């Protein structure tokens, strides 16, 4: 019989991760975020490993009607001008406030969550280390400070 210690030692020898990050699409690491009428994410920094499978779950906790107050999480490719993305997206209500011209800059995006709703998106963290902005593209929210950064190591 092979002891658990032996198995662990063998995995270490193979360089396999023992816990934590995984790129298994069926087993992402969940990051829960809430946001309310204050237009702030409860989490403004997500640290991930290159290529790590992530699942962002956003719950909106405010009281205003969805037409006036909804939130999303949009992760932007490196080098994206966030202000330009936000300006263009303010006109794109029919596409969840994501401008078609910027779709190529979007690494991941949730649907819009009205108050009391939860939305989510699963994606692989970029393969390149660095800092990637994530923003709420509902009009006015980015300027109010609804933004964060995905730090990929
Ligand atoms: Cu928002």
């Amino acid at each position: 019989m092979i002891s658990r210690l032996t198995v662990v030692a063998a995995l270490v020898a193979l360089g396999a991760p023992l816990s934590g990050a995984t790129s298994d699409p069926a087993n992402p690491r969940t990051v829960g975020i809430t946001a309310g009428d204050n237009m702030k994410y409860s989490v403004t920094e997500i640290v991930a490993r290159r290529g790590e499978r992530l699942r962002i779950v956003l719950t909106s906790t405010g009281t205003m009607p969805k037409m006036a107050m909804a939130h999303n999480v949009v992760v932007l490719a490196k080098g994206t001008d966030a202000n330009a993305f936000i300006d263009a997206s303010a006109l794109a209500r029919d596409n969840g406030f994501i401008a078609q011209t910027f779709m190529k800059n979007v690494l991941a995006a949730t649907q819009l969550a009205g108050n009391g709703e939860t939305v989510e998106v699963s994606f692989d963290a970029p393969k390149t280390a660095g800092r990637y902005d994530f923003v709420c593209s509902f009009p006015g929210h980015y300027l109010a400070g609804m933004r964060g950064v995905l730090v990929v190591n």
Side-chain angles (χ1 to χ4, degrees):
M1 181 177 169
I2 301 171
S3 74
R4 176 171 153 66
L5 186 61
T6 304
V7 172
V8 167
L11 287 171
V12 169
L14 291 170
L18 298 177
S19 63
T22 173
S23 57
D24 178 359
N27 189 26
R29 177 164 62 91
T30 297
V31 178
I33 304 176
T34 61
D37 294 342
N38 64 350
M39 296 177 286
K40 296 283 186 295
Y41 291 125
S42 63
V43 173
T44 56
E45 184 178 274
I46 301 168
V47 179
R49 301 212 312 224
R50 280 170 282 183
E52 182 181 359
R53 188 74 175 168
L54 297 173
R55 173 174 169 257
I56 293 177
V57 179
L58 173 69
T59 298
S60 186
T61 59
T63 58
M64 292 174 64
K66 188 172 184 176
M67 278 293 288
M69 179 68 65
H71 305 297
N72 61 8
V73 173
V74 183
V75 184
L76 297 173
K78 205 184 296 190
T80 301
D81 181 339
N83 284 301
F85 167 74
I86 289 296
D87 285 349
S89 295
L91 304 173
R93 181 180 285 272
D94 60 352
N95 195 46
F97 292 113
I98 296 174
Q100 292 286 354
T101 51
F102 277 87
M103 289 299 283
K104 65 183 183 306
N105 297 77
V106 174
L107 301 181
T110 68
Q111 300 291 306
L112 286 165
N115 290 316
E117 295 178 342
T118 296
V119 294
E120 65 173 78
V121 64
S122 295
F123 65 104
D124 291 334
K127 298 265 194 301
T128 305
R131 298 171 66 84
Y132 298 80
D133 293 326
F134 64 87
V135 302
C136 176
S137 66
F138 194 93
H141 290 197
Y142 174 77
L143 291 177
M146 200 162 181
R147 61 184 85 174
V149 61
L150 168 64
V151 181
V152 178
N153 294 311

